[in-house]
Each structure stands twice: as structure tokens, then as C-alpha cells.
Amino acid sequence: MSELNKTPLLEVRDLKEHFDINVGFLKTRPLKAVDGVSFSINRGETLGLVGESGCGKTTVGRTLLHLYKPTSGEILYDGKEIKTKADILEFRKKATMVFQDPYSSLNPRMTVADIIGEPLDIHKLYETKEERRERILELMDHVGLNSEHASRYAHEFSGGQRQRIGIARALAVNPEFIVCDEPVSALDVSIQAQVINMFDDLQDKLGLTYLFIAHDLLIVRHISDRIAVMYLGKIVEMADADEIYSHPLHPYSKALMSAVPVPDPNTARANRRIALEGDIPSPLNAPSGCPFRTRCPHATEACAEAMPEFKEVSSGHFVACHRVGELN
Amino acid sequence: MEHTPLLKVRDLKTSFFTDAGEVKAVGGVSFNLERGKVLGIVGESGSGKSVTVYSILQILAPTGKIVGGSVKFNGQELIGIDEKEMRKIRGNRISIIFQDPMTSLNPTYTIGHQLMEAILLHTGRNKKQARERALEMLRLVNINEPEKRLKQYPHELSGGMRQRVGIAMALACEPDILIADEPTTALDVTIQAQILELMQDLQKKLGMAIIMITHDLGVIAQLCDEVVVMYAGSICEQGTADEIFYNPKHEYTKGLLRSIPTDQSNGQKLVPITGTPIDLLNMPKGCPFAPRCDNAMKICLRERADRIRINDDHMATCWMNAKEASSEQEKQEEADHE
């Protein structure tokens, strides 16, 4: 990864996204999908966002791009807050998204050329038809598709190739920043490496910045410069990718890292996993204080009272845990 | 006296007859499963790993048909026996847990009803005893408040809990073989760790054999004694877990192991397998992996390699080994001459 510029490209401050859920006649309750998340991403950097299903990682990605209207909090891009409709439209020329499922995220009635050309149409990024066509072919070339694929439909392609189409579409507006929401989890193992390498190459070639959302920790570690771990709508730990793998500090991160199945029999046999009891609580009934305390082997009464502060314990390593000092 | 393996599969072939033509989903698969062992079948989507075990249990979709081969369970041939006989084995001696615990449970019946159904069907227990057994099974898979769970419906349980119920159901009749078809793919990592640990514990406690189907080499490394690697409907490599991971001999297995990110691969490019998975309707004449193989030779495109023995615990269907084997033989002969 290239040299990192120290002014963040994207900054998120105390972002909250609450959905109103009907719980009775005319009665709603807030589901706190994202509950006070702050982070920043530098230009050319990849921030990995990991966590289990329901922890709010996808919602973070979507709220960032204003696909959901944030309940509260600030999103700053290049130092400027994204707020008005005009801001959002302008922002979407610089920030795009690659979705998880290459089967449902491509319109089956559109040809590949039209799928990739749609963002060009929306943002009126060409003068002549010829220019549009050239741009589409250039994008297809970027992601390793042939020009003869342009007039075909999405169903004629395999999963890996479909994901390439989705990536070409995300690149159409010449973005600086891409939210990658589980872009390889629907793909076969042998194809995943192809797509991951492509993300790497495109970053080098086009100077892209990624927010890489995934649950496969081996892949996130491979592609990310820094990693943030989410649990029940909050970021509980954030650090350099290697640091968080070798020295996780939050009890949840520790359990998560130890639960990754390692493809090596000797390591797997010797590996001591930290088994967590129980399941993730529903975000409708989030526990008081620290969200992890109901499954945490080290929880005390203090953990039930207040949410621990998200503080920097060593350079660039942030943790939200009351007992981080005594446990490590 | 000849030793009879618990399950002996020989040259099993299963095809699906579709409008587009015959899809040879499984094209001649052979393996043995010994009592109390864990066998892993690893492969990508379309490799035929699920169809192989569905054929063993004879639970194929209507278009699917077993077109050849033999499956012997405890010495008894299962292919061709009538459905009534098969039912005595399926769910009783050989049972299965499915990938998606949401769709494999019936949403309209309580957990208790579904658990007791299997017990009442296969054992001589009465309703009261069956309920006792169901409770015992729920406790065995570490479900809290088992009495309450019996009255609940599948949608009231979390994914991990539902998979525990699936395991409880599969183990209720104390099977000799438990088939697990991607049992943790739909689950989160920490829940996956819980379920894998549970399966390991139960396997030690109850001593059944397990066939573990997965695409995740990490799961295989953790759980399995022996491994079968499948590609495009046939076995490309087979051996003990250590042999497969530390001494892979088929180019596909090597590629698969290379393509996973590890501690060492950070900051480096991954080494992917090029190309796309094979179209089962248009199978090449030679090795099915040859079109994607970097080291493919002329013979690979012409004909398939037989099972080539690497050592007592290991075999692969890759011509690369034939070359090694023959050149070794030549060296040996030269040495003998001298």
C-alpha cells in the first residue's frame, strides 16, 4: 500500500443509525443498528470492518454513502461535511459501493454495457455515444472482462465474473473511495483470490481508498491496513491489521481472532480457542453499559453501568473496555 | 477374515437429467470410511461433494439418478434396495445435518414435535420416553432451558441454536455415521467455533464416524482425520489430513492451498487459480482441471490420470505424479544397473 497521506479522506464522528421497528399498534421502538461510531480513513488506505452478522457493519457502509439517512452524527469527506442533497449527489461521484451478492445486485434485464453505463448516464459523464462506449470498454478492461461480453446479460456469467461487472460499475464514475460490502463472500475459494488481487491492483493503479467490510478474517487481514472490530452497533477495537491479530486487547476481538479456523492441521490442533457462551443479543434489547458484557468472561458490575470509553491505549490502537488495563 | 469398512463407496456415479442434457454431477467416486473416523470432503460449488452424500442417503432431487457404482454400509449394499429398507437406515444408522438450519427445520411444528418424530419412528420408545430422550438430546448439545425449547418453534431460536437442534435430531437415534453438509457455513465465526467444538466433543463421546462436507479448508484442518478433495464430480486427491495439507500432490489442491491468505502472505499478492470453474455439461476429455492448470501437459488434455498411489495414506489423480513415479523408477533401475 502506498504512502499514507495524513489528512483523512473520510471522517465519521459519532455516527448513529436507528431504525424504528413496529412493536405494536402505532408503537415503535428504535433498533440501534449503529450506535455512535467514529473513525477516519486516510487517502489510499484500506480500513477493514469486521464483526458478526447483525453487528451493524453493513449499515455503517450504507449510511456512509447516505443510502440510509443517518439518525445523527457527522460524515466529513475531504474535510467537508456531507449534508444537503447537492452534497450527497456530488459525493456519490467520488464514493461508490460494491455489493455482496453478485446474483441479486445486477439487473437481469440489462446488458453488461448498460449496467456499467448506468452511473455514466445518471451523472452525465459523457458527451457522445462513442465516448460512453469507449469508457465502458475501458472499465471492462480494468476488471478483466472482454469487449465481447458487453452485449451479454448477467445470468450468462459465473459468480466471479459477475462480481467483476459489479466492480466495473462501481468504478464508472472514477471514484476515490469505495465501500466493499462482503465482496468475495459469495464466491468460491479459488475465485476469491482472483477478486482480492484485483482490488489490490486497482488500488495501486487508481489510488483508491477502501472501506472493506467482511466477516472472513483471513481475507480482511490480508487486504487491510487497519481493522475495526464491531459488536452490536459499536466499534470495540481498532488498530493496525497486524497489531490487532497479534495483540488483540478487547475480550471480543480475542475470541474472534481465536475462532478463525486456520487451514493448517498442526496449528489447528494446538490452537486454544476462547469459546464464547451464548449468542449476540438482539439490538432491540441491547444490554446496558458495555454491549459485550453478557458474553464476556471478564465482565464486572462496572461493565453494566456505563459504556466504556473508546480510548487510545498505544499509538493508533483504540479499545473500548473498562478492564483493558488489568486484563492485558 | 477380510476387514469390512463401515462405509465402502465404489465408483459411485450420479447424473442429473435436465433439459440441457445429462449433467454428470458425480463421476466415479470411491472411498472408505472407518468406524469412529472423521472424513472431510472439500471442494467448490458444483464439485459434487453434496451430491455424493445425497446419493449415499438416496435423497436426490427427482431429476437426479444414481447411474452406477456401489455403496456398502456394514457390508450391506444400499444401491438398489427398496425405499422401505432404506428408511430403516436413513436418519437411523446414517443421519445428516444440513447447511441452513432455518430451512431444514419445519417452521410449522415445534422443536419437540420434530425431535420426537425421529425417535418415535426409529426406536421402540413410547411418547413419554421419546420426550425424555428429546430432552436428553437437547442437554447433550448444550441447549439451555430444554423444557422450554421443546415447545418453541424454529423461528424463535437463533441460527446457532437451530443448528444445535439439527445436530440433536441427527444424533437422537445414535447413528453410526453422521453426515454434516456445510453445517457451519451459515453461521458466524464465534458460533461456528462453538458448533465445531460441540461436534468434536460428541464424536469423542459417542464414537460415531463423521463425513464433513465443506469448502473451508480451515474447518477441515481442525476436524478431519482424512480428506477427500473433489473437483468437477471426481476425486482429485485423497489422504490423511497431514498428507493433504503438508504434501499435496494434485495441482488443484496445491492451488487451493496457495490461494488462501496466511500469516506469511500479508503485503504480498495472493496466488489465485486462474480461469473459472468447469461447466459440467461440457466436460473435457482429459483431466477436468487441465484447462485451469498452470502445469498441464499434453497427456492431461488427452486422458484422465488413474488413482496414482503416493504412499499408503495418500493417492492423487494427477499425471505430475506419474512422471515423478516413473522418473524415480528409472533412477532406481539405473542404480540397480550400476
Side-chain angles (χ1 to χ4, degrees):
Chain A
M1 272 93 272
S2 52
E3 294 171 32
L4 305 178
N5 194 334
K6 282 303 159 198
T7 45
L9 179 69
L10 184 99
E11 201 177 344
V12 175
R13 290 185 194 150
D14 202 25
L15 186 70
K16 288 185 183 171
E17 180 62 62
H18 297 179
F19 298 107
D20 286 333
I21 302 293
N22 291 317
V23 289
F25 183 64
L26 295 181
K27 232 170 93 185
T28 62
R29 226 165 60 202
L31 184 149
K32 297 175 179 173
V34 177
D35 199 25
V37 158
S38 305
F39 59 88
S40 60
I41 309 179
N42 294 320
R43 201 176 276 278
E45 187 190 34
T46 302
L47 177 70
L49 190 58
V50 298
E52 299 181 273
S53 44
C55 73
K57 55 190 191 301
T58 294
T59 309
V60 167
R62 295 190 171 188
T63 311
L64 267 190
L65 297 186
H66 277 266
L67 295 179
Y68 300 139
K69 192 176 172 338
T71 309
S72 70
E74 290 171 8
I75 300 165
L76 282 83
Y77 190 79
D78 242 348
K80 257 176 51 194
E81 196 181 351
I82 310 294
K83 233 176 174 174
T84 64
K85 254 192 163 160
D87 290 344
I88 293 170
L89 199 67
E90 199 50 40
F91 177 50
R92 286 198 183 140
K93 280 192 217 170
K94 295 176 189 149
T96 56
M97 186 153 182
V98 175
F99 296 91
Q100 170 172 9
D101 183 358
Y103 293 85
S104 63
S105 62
L106 302 177
N107 188 335
R109 288 163 179 259
M110 284 163 78
T111 63
V112 171
D114 285 336
I115 289 171
I116 299 173
E118 201 178 18
L120 302 173
D121 300 339
I122 290 169
H123 293 288
K124 302 187 183 61
L125 294 176
Y126 55 89
E127 303 280 318
T128 61
K129 273 235 162 99
E130 193 46 43
E131 209 181 314
R132 178 179 186 266
R133 192 179 150 68
E134 265 171 31
R135 176 72 182 139
I136 290 170
L137 292 181
E138 184 194 354
L139 287 163
M140 290 177 66
D141 186 51
H142 270 325
V143 298
L145 292 168
N146 298 328
S147 55
E148 68 208 55
H149 292 147
S151 55
R152 296 211 209 152
Y153 290 88
H155 72 86
E156 298 174 58
F157 295 90
S158 64
Q161 281 176 310
R162 281 184 214 217
Q163 201 54 296
R164 287 169 196 265
I165 300 169
I167 295 167
R169 173 176 63 185
L171 293 174
V173 293
N174 252 331
E176 300 171 315
F177 174 65
I178 300 182
V179 175
C180 314
D181 186 8
E182 305 248 12
V184 297
S185 53
L187 306 177
D188 271 323
V189 187
S190 74
I191 306 299
Q192 283 187 352
Q194 290 178 10
V195 176
I196 291 294
N197 277 356
M198 201 172 65
F199 275 113
D200 261 347
D201 291 342
L202 290 170
Q203 184 165 47
D204 291 346
K205 204 154 69 181
L206 307 172
L208 296 170
T209 305
Y210 295 136
L211 175 68
F212 199 94
I213 303 168
H215 67 268
D216 186 327
L217 294 148
L218 290 173
I219 283 175
V220 175
R221 180 189 183 180
H222 177 81
I223 198 162
S224 307
D225 300 306
R226 284 187 301 138
I227 291 177
V229 180
M230 270 189 91
Y231 188 82
L232 220 59
K234 295 195 164 74
I235 293 182
V236 296
E237 185 162 4
M238 184 159 69
D240 279 349
D242 285 335
E243 167 80 6
I244 211 164
Y245 269 85
S246 44
H247 302 109
L249 296 177
H250 194 282
Y252 176 63
S253 317
K254 285 184 187 175
L256 198 63
M257 303 306 160
S258 78
V260 180
V262 196
D264 181 296
N266 286 339
T267 322
R269 280 174 210 138
N271 195 7
R272 276 191 52 80
R273 260 169 292 135
I274 305 165
L276 289 178
E277 298 285 315
D279 295 307
I280 302 185
S282 155
L284 270 175
N285 288 313
S288 63
C290 173
F292 185 57
R293 69 174 170 87
T294 52
R295 294 171 79 194
C296 181
H298 313 291
T300 61
E301 277 168 27
C303 301
E305 276 157 25
M307 172 66 198
E309 194 195 336
F310 190 57
K311 53 178 187 274
E312 192 166 6
V313 289
S314 60
S315 171
H317 196 149
F318 295 82
V319 188
C321 176
H322 286 303
R323 303 191 62 195
V324 63
E326 25 176 336
L327 291 175
N328 293 288
Chain B
M1 206 181 81
E2 207 193 324
H3 162 77
T4 345
L6 181 60
L7 187 76
K8 186 173 168 184
V9 179
R10 283 295 170 273
D11 205 26
L12 182 68
K13 287 183 179 153
T14 301
S15 289
F16 288 87
F17 294 90
T18 67
D19 293 342
E22 181 184 350
V23 178
K24 291 179 179 160
V26 175
V29 161
S30 308
F31 62 85
N32 286 353
L33 177 67
E34 301 293 343
R35 213 166 273 281
K37 289 280 180 195
V38 184
L39 172 80
I41 304 184
V42 66
E44 300 177 84
S45 39
S47 63
K49 53 192 194 304
S50 291
V51 178
T52 301
V53 293
Y54 292 176
S55 304
I56 292 170
L57 280 174
Q58 299 180 28
I59 48 171
L60 292 162
T63 50
K65 223 182 141 213
I66 299 168
V67 289
S70 137
V71 175
K72 281 195 173 135
F73 172 66
N74 261 337
Q76 181 197 358
E77 177 64 55
L78 297 186
I79 307 278
I81 64 170
D82 62 20
E83 178 60 21
K84 219 170 131 194
E85 284 297 307
M86 194 59 214
R87 280 196 177 183
K88 287 185 190 157
I89 291 167
R90 188 194 300 135
N92 188 20
R93 310 306 339 135
I94 309 177
S95 59
I96 183 164
I97 42 181
F98 294 97
Q99 172 174 356
D100 185 352
M102 190 64 222
T103 50
S104 59
L105 293 171
N106 189 331
T108 62
Y109 289 110
T110 60
I111 300 297
H113 180 104
Q114 297 185 56
L115 264 171
M116 282 158 64
E117 188 183 8
I119 299 165
L120 289 169
L121 192 70
H122 291 298
T123 62
R125 290 184 170 88
N126 64 28
K127 247 187 153 169
K128 198 169 160 235
Q129 290 165 326
R131 190 170 177 280
E132 274 312 304
R133 176 74 182 155
L135 282 174
E136 191 189 320
M137 291 316 296
L138 288 180
R139 276 187 214 113
L140 185 70
V141 296
N142 302 329
I143 284 185
N144 59 358
E145 304 175 79
E147 275 93 357
K148 188 177 141 199
R149 304 293 171 204
L150 282 186
K151 296 190 197 103
Q152 285 184 317
Y153 289 88
H155 75 263
E156 297 176 78
L157 306 181
S158 68
M161 197 95 90
R162 281 197 287 260
Q163 199 56 291
R164 283 168 196 269
V165 171
I167 295 173
M169 209 184 275
L171 295 182
C173 301
E174 295 175 12
D176 296 314
I177 302 174
L178 174 68
I179 295 173
D181 185 8
E182 305 242 12
T184 58
T185 307
L187 304 175
D188 282 314
V189 236
T190 59
I191 309 295
Q192 165 171 294
Q194 289 175 4
I195 296 288
L196 292 180
E197 202 132 297
L198 174 72
M199 288 182 64
Q200 251 169 334
D201 282 354
L202 292 176
Q203 199 264 338
K204 281 193 194 112
K205 219 184 279 178
L206 309 174
M208 73 265 182
I210 296 180
I211 301 181
M212 182 83 186
I213 298 174
T214 177
H215 64 270
D216 188 336
L217 287 162
V219 172
I220 294 274
Q222 193 184 328
L223 224 58
C224 299
D225 304 307
E226 292 188 25
V227 183
V228 163
V229 185
M230 286 189 74
Y231 187 79
S234 40
I235 294 178
C236 49
E237 187 160 7
Q238 187 171 352
T240 59
D242 284 355
E243 281 288 322
I244 297 291
F245 279 91
Y246 301 129
N247 186 25
K249 285 293 177 194
H250 194 288
E251 290 301 303
Y252 174 64
T253 319
K254 289 182 198 170
L256 215 51
L257 287 167
R258 264 199 307 261
S259 68
I260 326 170
T262 61
D263 287 1
Q264 287 85 42
S265 71
N266 256 15
Q268 291 171 23
K269 283 267 143 54
L270 296 175
V271 188
I273 300 178
T274 50
T276 52
I278 201 164
D279 176 6
L280 290 172
L281 277 167
N282 295 306
M283 289 270 258
K285 210 165 88 200
C287 169
F289 186 62
R292 297 176 73 186
C293 181
D294 291 333
N295 297 319
M297 301 172 287
K298 272 183 191 154
I299 190 167
C300 302
L301 302 171
R302 232 176 23 242
E303 57 183 299
R304 275 190 192 211
D306 275 334
R307 299 162 64 93
I308 295 168
R309 183 181 166 280
I310 311 292
N311 57 42
D312 284 349
D313 301 322
H314 195 171
M315 79 90 197
T317 56
C318 178
W319 285 115
M320 300 287 285
N321 304 299
K323 203 177 80 185
E324 272 175 38
S326 58
S327 62
E328 258 177 42
Q329 206 173 348
E330 275 164 30
K331 268 186 220 150
Q332 190 65 45
E333 277 168 13
E334 274 168 29
D336 287 350
H337 274 292
E338 281 162 26

